[in-house]
């Protein structure tokens, strides 16, 4: 028997990529969400205005280039004027793309389906770029983390089935060894084992713990 703990396979803290005021927090702590769902939003008025300005600059530079190209066909402008006009279009296009990217960063979307573990900000709060906003985890893709004696490597293999008793629920669940970390702790002489629950059990939550019961195979 070895101690076992349930952990979320996917967990992350989502941060704001831009500075601004939080104007949308449609999910609360403990609530679920789907992959791609907007789970936080930042006031985007300033960034949208910058995008409109960038669009206008790009359109103006494009019109200017078209006019100079017509003059170039009549040999009424120098090659350097044509090159400079093309460079202005490229610069305006890059500015337009940067502005559009900032607008897209106003929405914070879920990278996977799961639940909100912790809200680190409140609506109407101003956040800086890089500031943590929301802690999320996948509660349906759980793994079992165990530390087993290194001597068990002689018979413990990926794919081996065993049972784990969860303390909080006082119940046994079927599990299968998924992978073994190829490193032994020299002090404790243990190796880290990751397993998966064999089945769908909505009552299981990250952080629950218990005992993994692994039995060596019987020899011939």
């Amino acid at each position: 028997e070895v101690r076992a703990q349930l952990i979320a396979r996917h967990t992350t803290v989502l941060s704001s990529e831009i500075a601004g005021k939080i104007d949308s927090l449609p999910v609360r702590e403990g609530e679920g969400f789907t992959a791609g769902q907007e789970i936080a939003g930042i006031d985007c008025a300033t960034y949208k205005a910058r995008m409109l300005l960038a669009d206008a600059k790009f359109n103006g530079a494009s019109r200017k280039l078209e006019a100079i190209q017509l003059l170039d066909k009549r040999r009424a402008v120098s090659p350097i004027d044509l090159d400079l006009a093309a460079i202005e279009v490229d610069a305006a296009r890059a500015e337009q793309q940067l502005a559009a990217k900032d607008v897209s960063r106003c929405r914070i979307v879920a990278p996977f389906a799961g639940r909100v573990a912790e809200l680190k900000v409140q609506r109407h709060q101003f956040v800086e770029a890089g500031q943590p906003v929301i802690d999320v985890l996948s509660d349906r893709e759980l793994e079992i983390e165990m530390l087993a004696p290194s001597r068990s490597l002689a018979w413990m293999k990926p794919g081996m089935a065993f049972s784990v008793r969860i303390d909080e629920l006082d119940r046994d669940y079927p599990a299968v060894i998924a992978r073994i970390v190829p490193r032994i702790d020299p002090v404790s002489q243990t190796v880290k084992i990751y397993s998966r629950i064999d089945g769908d059990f909505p009552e299981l939550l990250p952080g629950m713990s218990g005992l993994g019961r692994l039995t060596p195979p019987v020899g011939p």
Side-chain angles (χ1 to χ4, degrees), residues 74-218:
R74 301 171 185 174
R75 301 185 182 278
V77 294
S78 66
I80 188 65
D81 290 331
L82 183 61
D83 290 343
L84 289 175
I87 291 172
E88 285 184 21
V89 170
D90 290 339
R93 181 184 293 110
E95 189 174 347
Q96 185 185 46
Q97 291 172 348
L98 285 173
K101 184 64 175 179
D102 282 341
V103 169
S104 70
R105 289 169 174 162
C106 292
R107 299 174 62 248
I108 298 177
V109 300
F112 48 77
R115 290 191 187 185
V116 177
E118 181 184 0
L119 291 176
K120 296 184 176 294
V121 298
Q122 298 297 324
R123 192 176 179 188
H124 307 303
Q125 179 179 339
F126 186 88
V127 295
E128 299 288 350
Q131 181 174 338
V133 173
I134 186 168
D135 188 350
V136 296
L137 56 83
S138 173
D139 62 336
R140 294 273 55 87
E141 295 185 64
L142 302 179
E143 289 188 324
I144 306 169
E145 184 180 85
M146 302 181 297
L147 286 176
S150 58
R151 61 179 180 274
S152 62
L153 290 175
W155 51 269
M156 191 181 297
K157 306 294 181 183
M160 178 179 293
F162 66 99
S163 66
V164 58
R165 188 164 191 84
I166 300 301
D167 295 339
E168 288 82 358
L169 302 175
D170 195 25
R171 176 181 168 187
D172 290 335
Y173 291 88
V176 177
I177 294 178
R179 62 191 190 278
I180 300 173
V181 177
R183 177 181 295 167
I184 297 173
D185 185 281
V187 177
S188 63
Q189 289 295 294
T190 57
V191 62
K192 189 173 289 187
I193 309 292
Y194 288 97
S195 307
R196 59 177 174 81
I197 295 292
D198 192 12
D200 184 23
F201 303 96
E203 68 272 18
L204 296 176
L205 297 173
M208 289 182 172
S209 60
L211 284 177
R213 296 167 172 168
L214 298 100
T215 303
V218 178

Side-chain angles (χ1 to χ4, degrees), residues 57-74:
K57 288 183 177 180
F58 175 75
N59 291 334
S62 298
R63 292 290 298 275
K64 180 180 177 180
L65 177 61
E66 290 173 0
I68 291 180
Q69 287 173 335
L70 288 175
L71 292 174
D72 181 62
K73 291 179 180 179
R74 301 171 185 174

Side-chain angles (χ1 to χ4, degrees), residues 21-49:
K21 183 178 68 175
I22 298 292
D23 68 354
S24 172
L25 276 176
V27 291
R28 296 175 293 180
E29 290 185 352
E31 288 186 341
F33 51 80
T34 58
Q37 177 183 337
E38 180 178 337
I39 53 179
I42 297 172
D43 183 10
C44 212
T46 300
Y47 297 101
K48 287 181 177 179

